[in-house]
Amino acid sequence: MQYLIMCRSLTYAQRAAALLEGKGISAVVVKAPQGLSSSGCGYAVSLYRRFGEAVAILRANKLLNGKLFKRGDGGEYTEVQSRDIS
């Protein structure tokens, strides 16, 4: 399953991905899909594993500042609340 961590800018997305990579979590900066970004132009960190751990790391380093999404089997994105992540 793909997860997206929305970021407020390309720079924040790059910092978040670099931090996660340094912790052994594969993460890639991607352009946010249409409709997920309030400004119409945004960036996200994409990952497939260790989502809860990634969120905790970003939160601890004050880099978690956007919405969280997971991609369903049909390709649709649904928002995930950070409090619901274990």
Side-chain angles (χ1 to χ4, degrees), residues 24-73:
I25 299 174
S26 295
V28 179
V29 175
V30 297
K31 189 112 170 78
Q34 284 285 53
L36 294 188
S37 174
S38 58
S39 65
C41 174
Y43 292 89
V45 174
S46 173
L47 54 142
Y48 289 88
R49 292 184 199 106
R50 300 170 65 185
F51 183 58
E53 186 179 350
V55 168
I57 290 168
L58 295 179
R59 183 181 292 128
N61 287 276
K62 299 187 181 359
L63 287 174
L64 187 65
N65 52 38
K67 293 182 177 184
L68 310 171
F69 293 92
K70 67 179 176 179
R71 184 175 182 199
D73 294 334

